[in-house]
Amino acid sequence: MTRVASVLGRSLSFPLRVGADGRLVWSQGEDNIRESMAVILKTEPGERIALPDFGAGLGRFLFEPNDAATQARIAHAIETALARWERRISLESVDVVTDPTDAAAALVTITYRLVATASRERISVSVPLTGA
């Protein structure tokens, strides 16, 4: 394992998968952090018995309208969850807009820096909304 990978972390890949050698695949470095963020964003509070507060709880927005108020609440939920559960990043911004390809979804762009290397990264996630 490289020095950067050891600083940024290593764990089982998400989603869990088996490699060509029949062993579980591990992720490390920047991939590990992106996978960890995906787990946080896709988890609803209460899903993990040992960590009942874990997760961003984005599912609660499913039947909300795709307007500025809902988008602000989505941004706040993401900011709060990532600040609490992913200490290897420093959030720069969480921008939420109506998805230009799907009016029933919000497009979230998360810009952050890796704490260990100060490298700037960006991911985008679509959050389904079906409210009027």
Side-chain angles (χ1 to χ4, degrees), residues 111-128:
T111 305
Y112 60 97
R113 289 199 182 271
L114 301 174
V115 172
T117 64
S119 174
R120 189 173 197 220
E121 304 277 332
R122 179 176 289 132
I123 62 170
S124 293
V125 178
S126 182
V127 178

Side-chain angles (χ1 to χ4, degrees), residues 37-52:
M37 291 171 66
V39 169
I40 293 165
L41 296 176
K42 293 177 180 181
T43 302
E44 295 296 315
E47 282 185 28
R48 293 192 173 190
I49 294 172
L51 294 171

Side-chain angles (χ1 to χ4, degrees), residues 12 17 25 30-31 35-36 38-39 47 52-53 61-63 70 74-75 83 85 97 115-116 120 128 130 132:
L12 289 173
R17 57 192 180 275
V25 174
E30 294 89 347
D31 289 339
E35 289 175 5
S36 173
V39 169
E47 282 185 28
D53 297 331
F61 300 107
L62 183 58
F63 296 107
T70 300
I74 290 169
W85 299 108
V97 297
V115 172
R120 189 173 197 220
T130 59

